[in-house]
Amino acid sequence: MPFDPSRAAVTPTGHLRFSTNLPFVKDLDQAGGRVVRQPTGHLVFYRPDGRRFLATDPEGNPLHECEWGTDVTGNVILCRARVRLDWDRWVGLKPAGLLNETSLNLASKPGWQRLKADDLRAMAAQALRVTIEDVRFFYRDEDLLIEPTGRATIRQRKDSLYILHDGDFEQASFMACLGAMNWPSIDFPPVLQPFKSLLPGTGSAVFEVIRGLYDDQNEGNLTPRPLRYRGIPPYPSEAAFRLFSCFFTPQAPRGNDPFMLFMNRERSGQVIWLPAATTPVRYFHQRTGACLTFQDNKLLKVKVASDSSGL
């Protein structure tokens, strides 16, 4: 029988770790799943609702796995994701995995009884030198609570990244965070911070997931959803611009250089990011432990599992 990478990709020998995905191991078709082979030969596996749960290279070597669920209102949400790095380590992504709370006593402020959530947003926008629209983007009404006593509680949600010591969340160490994203409908490219704390290759591997989900969500649309960078506060950097540019194409208003505009923290959101025609694609070679990354039919880098230096 010829080798079938789509069958090998969903065998229970480590490719799928999330329990909600295990029904696809026994019989993909019977579980309502499907697999799509991309022009590069890479495989993407989908649940019955069209959400990807696994992506592999052409030989069935896993690149990332996603776990989906529903919130209290019944909306589909991304619960967790596992992402494979070039040198065969795994990192985990958990939406809203980090929650910071700040308390303020507004009782001494004249007229505090009339304050609403947007008033707190306006204060935050002035203090952080960002627009109130950006504050509203990250802070929902339920994140801004004013009690009858005058005490205000401000909650900031961030998505978190973890080092997965055994390939899953059983043994995980916090690594970094990114702005809370709307994963079922991606609407901005995030900066991973602190950038220097990331394991080598984390940024590109996470953006591989972001671009994959973005393409799924825009399939069939004549005009893909334009993205604008947002952050509270914004952290534009040369490294972030380079990473974004591997997967999306920057566009700036006439007469502006996209890079210079992006590096201006007060104007970085004016750069529009549209899907790049090609993206980095990875191929794992199990026997040698090597990972080769290509873009535009050019070899970008080669990594081996024994070298964690990022070289």
Side-chain angles (χ1 to χ4, degrees):
M1 180 180 295
F3 173 69
D4 182 358
S6 65
R7 180 174 178 81
V10 293
T11 57
T13 56
H15 290 5
L16 294 177
R17 295 287 186 94
F18 297 134
S19 60
T20 55
N21 294 332
L22 294 182
F24 299 109
V25 172
K26 186 175 182 180
D27 192 320
L28 182 67
D29 294 332
Q30 186 173 351
R34 63 186 177 93
V35 59
V36 173
R37 183 178 290 276
Q38 299 180 322
T40 58
H42 288 66
L43 304 171
V44 183
F45 295 79
Y46 293 93
R47 301 177 350 144
D49 63 1
R51 310 281 181 180
R52 70 169 57 197
F53 67 88
L54 178 68
T56 78
D57 71 3
E59 294 299 317
N61 299 304
L63 300 173
H64 57 257
E65 181 188 6
C66 300
E67 179 184 42
W68 300 89
T70 54
D71 62 14
V72 293
T73 63
N75 294 319
V76 176
I77 59 171
L78 178 67
C79 300
R80 295 180 298 179
R82 301 188 312 125
V83 185
R84 188 180 186 180
L85 304 185
D86 298 348
W87 44 291
D88 215 22
R89 291 289 297 274
W90 287 82
V91 298
L93 166 69
K94 189 173 182 181
L98 191 63
L99 178 64
N100 295 321
E101 285 192 358
T102 301
S103 294
L104 302 174
N105 187 3
L106 303 176
S108 60
K109 187 178 181 66
W112 69 266
Q113 297 90 342
R114 297 190 298 273
L115 291 176
K116 305 296 183 185
D118 259 0
D119 297 309
L120 295 180
R121 292 189 180 100
M123 290 184 229
Q126 183 177 13
L128 297 170
R129 296 167 59 195
V130 297
T131 67
I132 191 171
E133 287 76 16
D134 283 343
V135 177
R136 189 178 290 116
F137 187 84
F138 288 105
Y139 291 89
R140 308 164 299 179
D141 285 349
E142 54 264 40
D143 297 324
L144 303 166
L145 306 176
I146 303 177
E147 300 175 13
T149 60
R151 179 169 295 278
T153 301
I154 302 173
R155 299 191 180 106
Q156 183 184 33
R157 297 168 297 110
K158 288 191 175 184
D159 298 341
S160 50
L161 293 170
Y162 301 86
I163 301 171
L164 304 182
H165 299 287
D166 193 32
D168 57 33
F169 283 82
E170 293 298 320
Q171 299 182 51
S173 302
F174 176 81
M175 177 173 57
C177 62
L178 56 152
M181 296 184 63
N182 181 13
W183 291 98
S185 183
I186 291 172
D187 46 13
F188 79 100
V191 167
L192 283 58
Q193 52 182 310
F195 198 83
K196 292 184 178 180
S197 72
L198 300 174
L199 292 179
T202 298
S204 57
V206 169
F207 261 77
E208 185 178 78
V209 180
I210 291 173
R211 177 59 195 268
L213 294 175
Y214 173 89
D215 287 344
D216 293 345
Q217 295 157 13
N218 286 272
E219 185 177 3
N221 294 342
L222 295 177
T223 305
R225 181 187 302 116
L227 305 182
R228 295 177 185 267
Y229 168 61
R230 301 170 185 263
I232 301 292
Y235 290 102
S237 67
E238 182 177 350
F241 186 87
R242 288 199 309 267
L243 178 59
F244 291 5
S245 298
C246 288
F247 296 87
F248 297 91
T249 301
Q251 297 185 355
R254 185 184 298 272
N256 289 272
D257 176 80
F259 174 72
M260 298 304 296
L261 188 64
F262 179 79
M263 291 300 291
N264 184 336
R265 66 186 303 273
E266 295 182 2
R267 301 184 64 195
S268 57
Q270 295 178 21
V271 178
I272 295 175
W273 298 89
L274 294 174
T278 63
T279 63
V281 289
R282 298 189 292 160
Y283 301 83
F284 281 88
H285 190 254
Q286 290 294 83
R287 184 172 61 83
T288 60
C291 176
L292 286 72
T293 302
F294 287 83
Q295 188 169 14
D296 289 326
N297 295 320
K298 296 178 182 178
L299 180 62
L300 296 183
K301 59 180 178 176
V302 179
K303 290 292 297 293
V304 291
S306 59
D307 178 15
S308 62
S309 66
L311 298 177

